[in-house]
Amino acid sequence: MTKRGEGHFISRRELYDLAWSMPATQAGPTLGITGEQFGNICRALKIPRPGRGYWMKWKANTADPPPALPSASRGVADGWKKGDSTEHGRAWRSEPQPQGPRTFVDFQDSRRLHQLVIPAAKALRNSHPDRHGHYLNPATQRLIDMACSKDGLEKCLRFTSDLFKRLEGPTNGYRVSIAAATKSFIRASIDTATEAAVPGRRGFSPSWRPLRPTVVSVLGVSIGLAVVETSRRTQMRYVGHGRFVVDSGRLEDYVPPTWVETRNVPTGLLRITAYSPFYGVPWQRQWTEKPGKLFSLQLDEIVAGLVAGAHELFLALDEAGIRPG
């Protein structure tokens, strides 16, 4: 196999054939990378490789036949191109996490929540607010793209689960996943502010963000998804012991020392941001919950908007010469 050029896509099958045709120290340079980087790629894409001593047995015609290439499991990319993060060993590894006894809450979650939402539910319920004092800050970044306050958590979990189930249901069949490390996807800046943007002033984005974007594949086009609780700029007064409350406007209501700060406070209302995860191809669409209206009634409208957005994004990617998946 001749040396591939920058950006040339190579399928899992081609990489598998290469892995079993020569040692990694030779296979890597044919792709313009090192043998160690070639091993990182194979590990990330779940491609079996020869074990220690295989090539000596191969020369002696005593080696066992290569195992079959397994089908790509959920979250595993169908190939690689030069420059993908996996060649530098940044692919996620599956590490067993300690599991406590199964609780009734775990049982309820398994029955009502989407499988991607369950880990987020567990992590967020055990987390504390961030430095701004409102949005939850889980200890891990390996979660779906979701940000909310403690008071808005259960509502956010249920809605996000309903959205994912509607997208993946038999009527639609649009798969939702956390993007694989082999995909060089980017995450858009997610603004939670309910007010219109003021020229020269940036909106508010929670300090926590996922390690990888959450994406939905609609008609073969990958679209980034983020679910957040919106926020509103509110006058908050310091009342001691690190606590702030909504300012009443009456100084006599408080014991000094006290002062007022403008903070972004969660509203209890949700927003979905769909965006282009492709560098250099901007596209974004949002749906925001309105007070007094059930957001789940807009699920069909949101799905239809994502389908329309997939067509728009496909044309933009085609013009930029970028694969949509």
Side-chain angles (χ1 to χ4, degrees), residues 132-163:
H132 301 292
H134 295 289
Y135 285 86
L136 294 173
N137 187 29
T140 177
Q141 291 181 288
R142 297 180 179 182
L143 301 173
I144 55 173
D145 200 342
M146 191 177 78
C148 60
S149 66
K150 181 178 180 179
D151 291 340
L153 175 58
E154 297 305 321
K155 174 183 177 179
C156 193
L157 290 171
R158 289 194 300 272
F159 177 80
T160 304
S161 182
D162 290 344
L163 172 63

Side-chain angles (χ1 to χ4, degrees), residues 16-24 49-67:
Y16 166 85
D17 292 339
L18 183 59
W20 290 91
S21 64
M22 63 183 73
R49 291 190 301 142
R52 187 182 299 273
Y54 172 84
W55 294 109
M56 292 183 63
K57 295 179 181 179
W58 180 80
K59 289 180 180 179
N61 292 319
T62 59
D64 294 330

Side-chain angles (χ1 to χ4, degrees), residues 2-56:
T2 58
K3 186 173 179 179
R4 305 280 187 169
E6 180 76 26
H8 189 97
F9 184 81
I10 304 174
S11 68
R12 289 178 73 243
R13 169 56 64 179
E14 290 179 284
L15 291 167
Y16 166 85
D17 292 339
L18 183 59
W20 290 91
S21 64
M22 63 183 73
T25 53
Q26 298 175 26
T30 67
L31 302 175
I33 57 178
T34 66
E36 181 182 359
Q37 290 171 333
F38 180 76
N40 292 335
I41 295 166
C42 290
R43 181 169 55 248
L45 301 187
K46 309 300 182 187
I47 297 172
R49 291 190 301 142
R52 187 182 299 273
Y54 172 84
W55 294 109
M56 292 183 63

Side-chain angles (χ1 to χ4, degrees), residues 123-124 127-131 135-140 148 207-209:
L124 287 164
S127 63
H128 299 285
D130 61 13
R131 66 180 185 274
Y135 285 86
L136 294 173
N137 187 29
T140 177
C148 60
S207 59
W208 182 87
R209 59 181 296 160

